[in-house]
């Protein structure tokens, strides 16, 4: 596909002295293999009619033996067909183990912030999407030449810390904590929040919780000991879940790490007249010049830190420590306004780094009456470990009666189903978590795509001892649609990375799986003659590698058996 665009680019430069990007699309097969509207794009630049430009391009393209036919449609669309043999040769030249990758981000550095769960409470389904989307962003950027640093911005500070201490003292014990770990801390938090709601935000419990936060900020020995105890329990749990999700980060600079820097940064903002102290002692950063009537609160009236305090410190630390070209925050849609304020504050401070909020919708589930509602504890599974356990149970049923499928295969199938469902549509939409659909072996699902990849690999495994013969005479006409689809992959990766839209990779892989199913319906591989088999096996190796590269971008592994 790049070769085709390159030839058209050369002709355009020779005929019109213009450097323009030629975008190729795939029309319906009866119209051609590729189409372009470049004649209409050029018309506005050089003052000629699109149809006249298309005629000139058609005449030049007909002189190149790469093209079988060229047709002009409408005011200036150009449709053309390329022989399957030529397409196969183009694919051979472009293909390697990192097929689809590019160097668009070479020399650039990105910091990606994910999954950033809160400490001292069980890892919830609410952090499934931050982890999945953040990991996919990392994979996409690295595959397109970026250097990537990842940071798990742990919620190990703030008012919740005080709530856990107060709750632990009132509702729990060291024995319970030793027995139930993070799940005990989760229950303590819920009980304490319920007590605060019952008694009001100005209750003694809330005041006591805020005192504990201040104690921690002041380095109080007992507060520090509580923080250390909660963190050790929480981190083990978080790491266990992240390992099951097959995600990791380079750093884990939690909010507690940034807290001292946050206070210093706020003071500097005051000293430089960027921030303003209100009569009650609270400190704000006015943002009217960036269209915000509401200022950003960076410190409470009692001197306590806020999310914005720590995010200010985080911005400044990353600038100094990493000097990134881009910082990506993988955080849900509900934080859009907050991050737009934080980014405006960064501009006010003169920070030039591209700050990007990789936001996404919530996870919905179906009620008994068929309506959709955000997944919650009242309706079933919300803890990540429970979700993963249930997914593995579902996967076992999918492969029931298959003794050759290993426990490792089952884990890959279950996790693949969950992750693929996250990329089923544009990340900005809410996703519907439906157990039957995400484990379906037909339709838009992880197992469907994984099964297609496994099927290709099984054929290659079965034929690994086959001696390849010379297949130069093979015309590849039966494989043409598969080859055309493979040639699309590099551009799909390019667009998905540019727009931070991994769902485009998922859609591509699903379409490739469908194309392979159509191919198997009309074409034999293992029981064909040696020339045909040799050609087809070489193409299947490319299909296998493309499945592997694409699924890897989504954090999904291919099982050995299924």
């Amino acid at each position: 596909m790049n070769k085709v665009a390159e030839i058209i680019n050369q002709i355009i430069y020779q005929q019109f002295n213009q450097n323009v990007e030629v975008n190729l699309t795939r029309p319906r097969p009866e119209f051609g293999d590729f189409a372009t509207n470049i004649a209409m794009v050029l018309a506005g630049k050089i003052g000629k009619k699109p149809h006249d430009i298309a005629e000139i391009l058609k005449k030049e393209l007909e002189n190149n033996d790469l093209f079988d036919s060229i047709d002009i449609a409408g005011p200036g669309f150009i449709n053309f067909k390329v022989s399957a043999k030529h397409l196969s040769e183009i694919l051979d030249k472009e293909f390697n183990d990192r097929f689809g990758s590019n160097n668009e981000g070479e020399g650039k550095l990105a910091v990606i912030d994910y999954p950033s769960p809160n400490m001292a409470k069980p890892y919830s389904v609410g952090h499934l999407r931050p982890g999945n989307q953040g990991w996919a962003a990392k994979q996409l950027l690295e595959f397109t030449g970026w250097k990537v640093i990842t940071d798990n911005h742990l919620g190990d500070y703030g008012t919740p810390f005080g709530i856990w201490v107060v709750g632990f003292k009132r509702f729990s014990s060291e024995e319970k904590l030793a027995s139930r770990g993070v799940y005990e801390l989760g229950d303590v938090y819920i009980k304490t929040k319920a007590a605060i709601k019952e008694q009001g935000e100005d209750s003694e419990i809330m005041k006591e919780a805020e005192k504990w936060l201040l104690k921690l900020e002041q380095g109080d020995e007992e507060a520090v000991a509580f923080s250390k105890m909660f963190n050790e329990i929480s981190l083990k749990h978080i790491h266990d879940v992240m390992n099951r999700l097959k995600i990791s980060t380079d750093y884990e600079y939690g909010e507690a790490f940034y807290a001292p820097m946050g206070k210093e940064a706020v003071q500097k903002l005051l000293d430089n007249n960027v921030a303003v102290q209100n009569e009650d002692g609270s400190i704000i950063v006015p943002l009217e010049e960036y269209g915000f009537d509401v200022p950003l609160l960076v410190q409470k009236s009692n001197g306590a830190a806020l999310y914005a305090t720590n995010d200010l410190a985080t911005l400044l630390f990353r600038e100094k420590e990493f000097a990134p070209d881009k910082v990506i925050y993988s955080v849900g849609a509900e934080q859009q306004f907050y991050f737009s304020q934080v980014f405006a504050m960064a501009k006010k401070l003169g920070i030039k780094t591209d700050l990007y909020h990789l936001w996404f919708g919530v996870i919905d589930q179906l009620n008994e009456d068929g309506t959709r509602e955000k997944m919650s504890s009242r309706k079933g599974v919300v803890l990540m470990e429970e979700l993963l356990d249930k997914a593995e149970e579902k996967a076992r049923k999918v492969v029931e009666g298959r003794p050759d499928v290993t426990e490792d295969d089952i884990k890959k199938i279950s996790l693949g189903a969950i992750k693929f469902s996250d990329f089923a549509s544009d990340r900005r939409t809410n996703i519907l978590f439906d157990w039957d659909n995400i484990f379906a072996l037909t339709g838009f699902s992880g197992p469907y795509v994984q099964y297609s990849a496994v099927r290709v690999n099984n054929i290659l495994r079965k034929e690994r001892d086959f001696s390849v013969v010379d297949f130069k005479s093979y015309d590849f006409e039966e494989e043409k649609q598969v080859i055309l689809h493979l040639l699309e992959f590099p551009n799909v990766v390019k667009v998905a990375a540019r727009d931070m839209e991994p769902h485009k990779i998922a859609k591509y892989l699903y379409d490739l799986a469908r194309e392979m199913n159509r191919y198997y319906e009309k074409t034999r591989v293992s029981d064909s003659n040696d020339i045909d088999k040799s050609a087809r096996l070489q193409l299947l190796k490319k299909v296998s590698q493309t499945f592997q590269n694409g699924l890897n971008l989504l954090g999904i592994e291919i099982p050995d058996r299924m």
Side-chain angles (χ1 to χ4, degrees):
M1 201 164 184
N2 289 343
K3 179 64 175 176
V4 176
E6 183 183 312
I7 290 170
I8 299 172
N9 271 325
Q10 290 173 350
I11 292 172
I12 289 170
Y13 185 75
Q14 291 166 358
Q15 295 294 316
F16 307 109
N17 197 31
Q18 293 286 321
N19 281 312
V20 291
E21 184 178 357
V22 175
N23 291 313
L24 301 177
T25 57
R26 292 280 309 282
R28 294 212 310 260
E30 63 266 30
F31 295 120
D33 302 324
F34 302 107
T36 180
N37 67 343
I38 193 62
M40 288 182 277
V41 173
L42 277 172
K45 291 179 177 292
I46 64 176
K48 286 181 176 285
K49 292 180 180 178
H51 191 272
D52 292 342
I53 295 171
E55 287 286 0
I56 294 171
L57 293 175
K58 179 177 185 290
K59 182 179 178 181
E60 293 297 319
L61 290 170
E62 285 173 339
N63 293 328
N64 192 306
D65 62 5
L66 177 69
F67 302 97
D68 281 354
S69 66
I70 301 112
D71 296 303
I72 298 172
F77 280 101
I78 305 173
N79 296 323
F80 40 89
K81 290 187 178 181
V82 181
S83 76
K85 182 76 171 174
H86 276 125
L87 289 171
S88 174
E89 290 169 357
I90 291 171
L91 181 61
D92 282 343
K93 289 177 182 177
E94 292 187 8
F95 202 87
N96 55 47
D97 288 348
R98 286 179 56 79
F99 179 62
S101 64
N102 61 61
N103 295 317
E104 298 247 327
E106 189 173 7
K108 294 181 181 179
L109 171 66
V111 174
I112 308 180
D113 188 321
Y114 71 90
S116 308
N118 291 319
M119 303 281 274
K121 57 199 299 189
Y123 201 122
S124 75
V125 173
H127 279 85
L128 175 63
R129 301 204 78 181
N132 286 346
Q133 296 289 334
W135 184 261
K138 168 190 178 295
Q139 297 294 91
L140 279 167
L141 289 184
E142 288 182 337
F143 205 57
T144 52
W146 288 73
K147 180 182 178 183
V148 179
I149 293 171
T150 53
D151 182 19
N152 191 4
H153 191 82
L154 298 166
D156 58 355
Y157 204 71
T159 304
F161 167 76
I163 292 172
W164 280 306
V165 176
V166 173
F168 176 74
K169 285 178 166 288
R170 291 185 177 225
F171 303 116
S172 189
S173 65
E174 291 187 8
E175 290 76 21
K176 288 181 180 179
L177 192 57
S179 172
R180 301 187 64 231
V182 73
Y183 293 98
E184 176 65 15
L185 289 176
D187 288 348
V188 162
Y189 187 81
I190 292 170
K191 290 175 183 176
T192 311
K193 287 291 285 185
I196 291 171
K197 185 176 181 181
E198 183 181 336
Q199 297 177 27
E201 288 296 322
D202 292 328
S203 65
E204 286 301 314
I205 297 180
M206 194 62 200
K207 289 177 182 176
E208 190 180 344
E210 290 183 347
K211 285 179 183 177
W212 275 106
L213 174 58
L214 287 172
K215 283 183 177 183
L216 181 61
E217 290 180 0
Q218 294 161 2
D220 176 83
E221 190 175 318
E222 188 179 11
V224 170
F226 271 123
S227 178
K228 184 179 179 182
M229 178 173 67
F230 295 164
N231 288 353
E232 285 178 355
I233 293 169
S234 296
L235 271 177
K236 182 184 181 305
H237 167 72
I238 288 169
H239 291 160
D240 286 345
V241 175
M242 288 177 67
N243 285 338
R244 290 185 71 178
L245 290 170
K246 301 293 184 181
I247 62 174
S248 60
T249 59
D250 301 312
Y251 296 99
E252 287 183 328
Y253 291 122
E255 291 172 356
F257 172 79
Y258 293 110
M261 302 180 219
K263 290 295 183 72
E264 291 176 11
V266 169
Q267 187 57 50
K268 285 182 181 178
L269 296 189
L270 282 173
D271 294 342
N272 295 327
N273 297 318
V274 174
V276 176
Q277 188 156 24
N278 294 323
E279 290 182 3
D280 66 353
S282 61
I283 300 173
I284 59 171
V285 177
L287 299 169
E288 291 96 336
E289 66 267 46
Y290 298 99
F292 294 94
D293 295 330
V294 180
L296 182 62
L297 183 65
V298 292
Q299 191 168 294
K300 287 185 177 182
S301 57
N302 65 357
L306 296 146
Y307 285 124
T309 320
N310 292 327
D311 283 328
L312 166 63
T314 305
L315 279 168
L316 297 173
F317 174 81
R318 287 172 175 165
E319 283 289 301
K320 182 179 178 181
E321 188 76 9
F322 305 123
D325 298 281
K326 192 182 194 78
V327 177
I328 297 170
Y329 297 82
S330 183
V331 182
E334 67 276 6
Q335 296 295 327
Q336 284 184 83
F337 179 74
Y338 169 71
F339 274 109
S340 63
Q341 281 190 306
V342 171
F343 295 171
M345 176 177 65
K347 287 180 182 177
K348 191 164 185 170
L349 295 174
I351 292 174
K352 303 296 184 184
T353 303
D354 179 18
L355 303 175
Y356 188 84
H357 182 195
L358 182 73
W359 62 271
F360 35 82
V362 300
I363 301 175
D364 288 336
Q365 60 184 16
L366 284 177
N367 293 323
E368 291 181 1
D369 61 2
T371 58
R372 287 174 64 149
E373 184 179 62
K374 182 179 178 180
M375 190 177 277
S376 70
S377 56
R378 293 183 297 105
K379 296 292 180 180
V381 176
V382 290
L383 299 179
M384 189 66 75
E385 287 191 302
E386 291 180 7
L387 180 78
L388 293 172
D389 289 344
K390 187 170 182 179
E392 288 175 13
E393 288 177 20
K394 294 279 185 180
R396 285 189 183 90
K397 291 182 180 178
V398 168
V399 297
E400 203 165 21
R402 292 287 308 277
D404 56 333
V405 177
T406 67
E407 190 65 23
D408 187 51
D409 290 330
I410 287 169
K411 291 182 186 300
K412 289 176 181 177
I413 296 165
S414 62
L415 188 56
I418 290 173
K419 287 193 172 188
F420 199 89
S421 70
D422 196 342
F423 305 115
S425 57
D426 189 307
R427 60 178 165 77
R428 288 161 284 241
T429 62
N430 293 354
I431 61 171
L432 179 62
F433 196 91
D434 181 278
W435 286 109
D436 292 334
N437 287 338
I438 71 171
F439 277 96
L441 285 174
T442 58
F444 199 89
S445 73
Y448 176 76
V449 174
Q450 284 176 311
Y451 181 76
S452 186
V454 168
R455 187 175 182 182
V456 173
N457 291 344
N458 283 344
I459 294 171
L460 293 173
R461 188 184 297 116
K462 178 183 175 184
E463 300 292 343
R464 64 186 163 212
D465 296 327
F466 174 74
S467 297
V468 175
V469 302
D470 184 358
F471 54 88
K472 288 180 181 177
S473 62
Y474 192 73
D475 63 13
F476 285 97
E477 282 299 325
E478 290 186 59
E479 289 74 29
K480 187 173 187 179
Q481 293 306 311
V482 175
I483 295 170
L484 282 166
H485 198 73
L486 291 177
L487 286 169
E488 287 182 37
F489 186 56
N491 192 56
V492 172
V493 171
K494 180 180 176 181
V495 173
R498 181 195 68 199
D499 300 337
M500 287 287 102
E501 293 182 341
H503 73 276
K504 290 178 178 175
I505 302 294
K507 174 66 165 57
Y508 172 88
L509 294 171
Y510 169 70
D511 289 340
L512 178 59
R514 292 179 67 199
E515 192 59 59
M516 290 310 299
N517 283 340
R518 285 192 285 265
Y519 175 69
Y520 295 134
E521 285 175 6
K522 62 182 181 182
T523 310
R524 309 298 298 176
V525 177
S526 294
D527 55 359
S528 56
N529 65 63
D530 284 357
I531 291 176
D532 291 0
K533 183 191 286 192
S534 293
R536 291 164 184 172
L537 288 176
Q538 294 312 300
L539 181 64
L540 289 192
K541 287 180 181 178
K542 295 180 175 68
V543 173
S544 173
Q545 188 67 56
T546 303
F547 270 126
Q548 182 175 320
N549 291 358
L551 286 168
N552 187 55
L553 292 174
L554 305 180
I556 297 173
E557 297 177 294
I558 300 172
D560 288 331
R561 299 285 192 277
M562 200 171 164

